[in-house]
Coordinates of all heavy atoms in Angstrom, one line a residue:
H1 N 8.6 -3.7 -8.0 CA 7.8 -4.8 -8.1 C 7.0 -5.0 -6.8 O 5.8 -5.3 -6.9 CB 8.7 -6.0 -8.4 CG 8.0 -7.4 -8.5 ND1 7.2 -7.7 -9.6 CD2 7.9 -8.4 -7.7 CE1 6.7 -8.9 -9.5 NE2 7.2 -9.4 -8.3
E2 N 7.6 -4.9 -5.7 CA 6.9 -5.1 -4.4 C 5.9 -4.0 -4.2 O 4.8 -4.3 -3.7 CB 7.9 -5.2 -3.3 CG 8.7 -6.5 -3.3 CD 9.7 -6.6 -2.2 OE1 9.8 -5.7 -1.4 OE2 10.4 -7.7 -2.1
R3 N 6.3 -2.8 -4.5 CA 5.3 -1.7 -4.3 C 4.1 -1.9 -5.2 O 3.0 -1.6 -4.8 CB 6.0 -0.4 -4.6 CG 6.8 0.1 -3.4 CD 7.2 1.6 -3.5 NE 8.0 1.8 -4.7 CZ 9.3 1.8 -4.8 NH1 10.0 1.5 -3.7 NH2 9.9 2.1 -5.9
N4 N 4.3 -2.4 -6.4 CA 3.2 -2.5 -7.4 C 2.3 -3.6 -6.9 O 1.1 -3.4 -7.1 CB 3.8 -2.8 -8.8 CG 4.3 -1.6 -9.5 OD1 4.0 -0.5 -9.0 ND2 5.0 -1.8 -10.5
S5 N 2.8 -4.7 -6.4 CA 1.9 -5.8 -5.9 C 1.0 -5.3 -4.8 O -0.2 -5.6 -4.7 CB 2.6 -7.0 -5.6 OG 3.5 -6.8 -4.5
S6 N 1.6 -4.6 -3.9 CA 0.8 -4.0 -2.8 C -0.2 -3.0 -3.3 O -1.4 -3.0 -2.8 CB 1.8 -3.4 -1.8 OG 1.0 -2.8 -0.7
L7 N 0.2 -2.2 -4.2 CA -0.7 -1.2 -4.7 C -1.8 -1.9 -5.5 O -3.0 -1.5 -5.5 CB 0.0 -0.2 -5.7 CG -0.7 1.0 -6.2 CD1 -1.2 1.8 -5.1 CD2 0.2 1.8 -7.1
Y8 N -1.5 -2.9 -6.2 CA -2.5 -3.7 -7.0 C -3.5 -4.3 -6.1 O -4.7 -4.2 -6.3 CB -1.8 -4.8 -7.8 CG -2.8 -5.7 -8.5 CD1 -3.3 -5.4 -9.7 CD2 -3.1 -7.0 -8.0 CE1 -4.3 -6.2 -10.4 CE2 -4.0 -7.8 -8.6 CZ -4.6 -7.4 -9.8 OH -5.5 -8.2 -10.4
V9 N -3.1 -4.9 -4.9 CA -4.0 -5.5 -4.0 C -4.9 -4.4 -3.4 O -6.1 -4.6 -3.3 CB -3.3 -6.3 -2.9 CG1 -4.2 -6.7 -1.8 CG2 -2.5 -7.4 -3.5
R10 N -4.4 -3.2 -3.1 CA -5.2 -2.2 -2.6 C -6.3 -1.8 -3.6 O -7.5 -1.7 -3.2 CB -4.4 -0.9 -2.3 CG -3.6 -1.1 -1.0 CD -2.7 0.2 -0.8 NE -1.9 0.0 0.3 CZ -2.2 0.2 1.6 NH1 -3.4 0.5 1.9 NH2 -1.4 0.0 2.6
N11 N -5.9 -1.5 -4.8 CA -6.9 -1.1 -5.8 C -7.9 -2.2 -6.1 O -9.1 -1.9 -6.3 CB -6.2 -0.7 -7.1 CG -5.4 0.6 -6.9 OD1 -5.6 1.4 -6.0 ND2 -4.3 0.7 -7.7
R12 N -7.5 -3.4 -6.2 CA -8.4 -4.5 -6.6 C -9.3 -4.8 -5.4 O -10.5 -5.2 -5.7 CB -7.5 -5.8 -6.9 CG -8.2 -6.9 -7.5 CD -8.6 -6.7 -8.9 NE -9.1 -7.9 -9.5 CZ -10.4 -8.1 -9.6 NH1 -11.3 -7.2 -9.3 NH2 -10.8 -9.3 -10.0
A13 N -8.8 -4.7 -4.2 CA -9.7 -4.9 -3.0 C -10.8 -3.8 -3.0 O -12.0 -4.1 -2.7 CB -8.9 -4.8 -1.7
A14 N -10.5 -2.6 -3.4 CA -11.5 -1.5 -3.5 C -12.5 -1.9 -4.6 O -13.7 -1.6 -4.4 CB -10.8 -0.2 -3.8
E15 N -12.1 -2.5 -5.7 CA -13.0 -2.9 -6.8 C -14.0 -3.9 -6.3 O -15.1 -4.0 -6.7 CB -12.2 -3.4 -8.0 CG -11.5 -2.3 -8.8 CD -10.6 -2.9 -9.9 OE1 -10.8 -4.1 -10.2 OE2 -9.7 -2.2 -10.4
L16 N -13.5 -4.8 -5.4 CA -14.3 -5.9 -4.9 C -15.2 -5.5 -3.8 O -16.0 -6.3 -3.3 CB -13.4 -7.1 -4.5 CG -12.6 -7.8 -5.6 CD1 -11.7 -8.8 -5.0 CD2 -13.6 -8.4 -6.6
G17 N -15.0 -4.2 -3.3 CA -15.9 -3.7 -2.2 C -15.3 -3.9 -0.8 O -16.1 -3.9 0.1
F18 N -14.0 -4.1 -0.7 CA -13.4 -4.3 0.6 C -12.2 -3.3 0.7 O -11.7 -2.8 -0.2 CB -12.8 -5.7 0.7 CG -13.8 -6.8 0.6 CD1 -14.0 -7.5 -0.5 CD2 -14.6 -7.1 1.7 CE1 -15.0 -8.5 -0.6 CE2 -15.6 -8.1 1.7 CZ -15.8 -8.8 0.5
T19 N -11.8 -3.0 2.0 CA -10.6 -2.2 2.2 C -9.4 -3.2 2.3 O -9.6 -4.4 2.5 CB -10.8 -1.5 3.6 OG1 -10.8 -2.4 4.6 CG2 -12.0 -0.5 3.6
F20 N -8.3 -2.6 2.1 CA -7.0 -3.4 2.2 C -6.9 -4.0 3.6 O -6.5 -5.1 3.7 CB -5.8 -2.5 1.8 CG -4.5 -3.2 1.8 CD1 -4.3 -4.2 0.9 CD2 -3.5 -2.8 2.7 CE1 -3.1 -4.9 0.9 CE2 -2.3 -3.5 2.7 CZ -2.1 -4.5 1.8
D21 N -7.2 -3.2 4.6 CA -7.1 -3.7 6.0 C -8.1 -4.9 6.2 O -7.8 -5.8 7.0 CB -7.4 -2.6 7.0 CG -6.3 -1.5 7.0 OD1 -5.2 -1.9 6.6 OD2 -6.6 -0.4 7.3
K22 N -9.3 -4.8 5.6 CA -10.2 -5.9 5.8 C -9.7 -7.2 5.1 O -9.8 -8.3 5.6 CB -11.6 -5.5 5.1 CG -12.7 -6.5 5.4 CD -13.1 -6.4 6.8 CE -14.5 -7.1 7.0 NZ -14.9 -7.1 8.4
I23 N -9.1 -7.1 3.9 CA -8.5 -8.2 3.2 C -7.3 -8.8 4.1 O -7.2 -10.0 4.1 CB -8.0 -7.8 1.8 CG1 -9.1 -7.4 0.9 CG2 -7.1 -8.9 1.2 CD1 -10.1 -8.6 0.6
R24 N -6.5 -8.0 4.7 CA -5.4 -8.4 5.5 C -5.8 -8.9 6.9 O -5.0 -9.6 7.6 CB -4.4 -7.3 5.7 CG -3.7 -6.9 4.4 CD -2.6 -5.9 4.7 NE -1.6 -6.7 5.3 CZ -0.6 -6.2 6.0 NH1 -0.5 -4.9 6.3 NH2 0.3 -7.0 6.6
S25 N -7.0 -8.6 7.3 CA -7.5 -8.9 8.7 C -7.6 -10.5 8.9 O -7.6 -11.2 7.9 CB -8.8 -8.2 9.0 OG -9.8 -8.8 8.3
Q26 N -8.0 -10.8 10.1 CA -8.2 -12.3 10.4 C -9.7 -12.6 10.2 O -10.1 -13.7 10.6 CB -7.8 -12.5 11.9 CG -6.4 -12.3 12.2 CD -5.5 -13.3 11.4 OE1 -5.8 -14.5 11.3 NE2 -4.4 -12.8 10.9
D27 N -10.4 -11.8 9.5 CA -11.9 -12.0 9.3 C -12.0 -13.3 8.4 O -11.4 -13.4 7.4 CB -12.4 -10.8 8.5 CG -14.0 -10.8 8.5 OD1 -14.5 -11.8 8.9 OD2 -14.6 -9.8 8.1
R28 N -13.0 -14.1 8.8 CA -13.2 -15.4 8.1 C -14.6 -15.5 7.5 O -15.0 -16.6 7.3 CB -12.9 -16.6 9.1 CG -11.4 -16.6 9.5 CD -11.1 -17.6 10.5 NE -11.0 -18.9 9.9 CZ -10.8 -20.0 10.6 NH1 -10.6 -19.9 11.9 NH2 -10.7 -21.2 10.0
H29 N -15.2 -14.4 7.3 CA -16.5 -14.4 6.6 C -16.3 -14.9 5.2 O -15.3 -14.6 4.6 CB -17.2 -13.0 6.6 CG -17.7 -12.7 8.0 ND1 -17.0 -12.0 8.9 CD2 -18.9 -12.9 8.6 CE1 -17.7 -11.8 10.0 NE2 -18.9 -12.4 9.8
R30 N -17.3 -15.6 4.7 CA -17.2 -16.2 3.4 C -16.8 -15.3 2.3 O -15.9 -15.6 1.4 CB -18.5 -17.0 3.0 CG -18.4 -17.8 1.7 CD -19.6 -18.6 1.6 NE -19.6 -19.6 2.6 CZ -20.4 -20.7 2.6 NH1 -21.1 -20.9 1.6 NH2 -20.4 -21.5 3.6
K31 N -17.4 -14.1 2.2 CA -17.2 -13.1 1.1 C -15.7 -12.6 1.2 O -15.1 -12.4 0.2 CB -18.2 -12.0 1.2 CG -19.6 -12.4 0.8 CD -20.5 -11.2 0.9 CE -21.9 -11.7 0.5 NZ -22.9 -10.6 0.5
V32 N -15.3 -12.3 2.4 CA -13.9 -11.8 2.6 C -12.9 -12.9 2.3 O -11.9 -12.6 1.6 CB -13.7 -11.3 4.1 CG1 -12.3 -10.8 4.3 CG2 -14.7 -10.2 4.4
V33 N -13.1 -14.1 2.7 CA -12.2 -15.2 2.4 C -12.1 -15.4 0.9 O -11.0 -15.6 0.3 CB -12.6 -16.5 3.1 CG1 -11.8 -17.7 2.6 CG2 -12.4 -16.3 4.6
A34 N -13.3 -15.4 0.2 CA -13.3 -15.6 -1.2 C -12.5 -14.5 -2.0 O -11.7 -14.8 -2.9 CB -14.7 -15.7 -1.8
A35 N -12.7 -13.3 -1.6 CA -12.0 -12.1 -2.2 C -10.5 -12.3 -1.9 O -9.6 -12.0 -2.8 CB -12.5 -10.8 -1.7
R36 N -10.1 -12.6 -0.7 CA -8.7 -12.8 -0.3 C -8.0 -13.9 -1.1 O -6.9 -13.7 -1.7 CB -8.6 -13.1 1.2 CG -7.2 -13.1 1.7 CD -7.1 -13.5 3.2 NE -7.9 -12.6 4.0 CZ -8.8 -13.0 4.9 NH1 -9.1 -14.3 5.1 NH2 -9.4 -12.1 5.6
Q37 N -8.7 -15.0 -1.3 CA -8.2 -16.1 -2.1 C -8.0 -15.7 -3.6 O -7.0 -16.0 -4.2 CB -9.0 -17.3 -2.0 CG -9.0 -18.0 -0.6 CD -9.9 -19.1 -0.5 OE1 -10.9 -19.3 -1.2 NE2 -9.7 -20.0 0.6
L38 N -9.0 -15.0 -4.1 CA -8.9 -14.5 -5.5 C -7.7 -13.6 -5.7 O -6.9 -13.7 -6.6 CB -10.2 -13.8 -5.9 CG -10.2 -13.2 -7.3 CD1 -10.1 -14.4 -8.3 CD2 -11.5 -12.4 -7.5
L39 N -7.5 -12.6 -4.7 CA -6.4 -11.7 -4.8 C -5.0 -12.4 -4.6 O -4.1 -12.1 -5.3 CB -6.5 -10.6 -3.7 CG -7.7 -9.6 -4.0 CD1 -7.8 -8.7 -2.8 CD2 -7.4 -8.8 -5.3

């Protein structure tokens, strides 16, 4: 279950045009924040 959620976030972030590290980062740009909240 835990591996699948992490894998899901990686794949879905790539679909949205971001890397997994960018989603996890402290970046507060509007597009990154919106994608992070959706995920």
Side-chain angles (χ1 to χ4, degrees):
H1 181 71
E2 288 180 1
R3 281 195 298 271
N4 283 346
S5 61
S6 176
L7 187 61
Y8 175 80
V9 171
R10 283 181 187 276
N11 293 335
R12 190 76 172 96
E15 288 174 14
L16 296 172
F18 298 100
T19 63
F20 182 63
D21 292 335
K22 188 72 167 174
I23 293 292
R24 294 188 71 201
S25 70
Q26 296 297 317
D27 193 350
R28 296 173 77 181
H29 286 92
R30 184 172 295 199
K31 291 181 180 180
V32 177
V33 170
R36 185 182 301 130
Q37 288 175 343
L38 179 64
L39 290 173

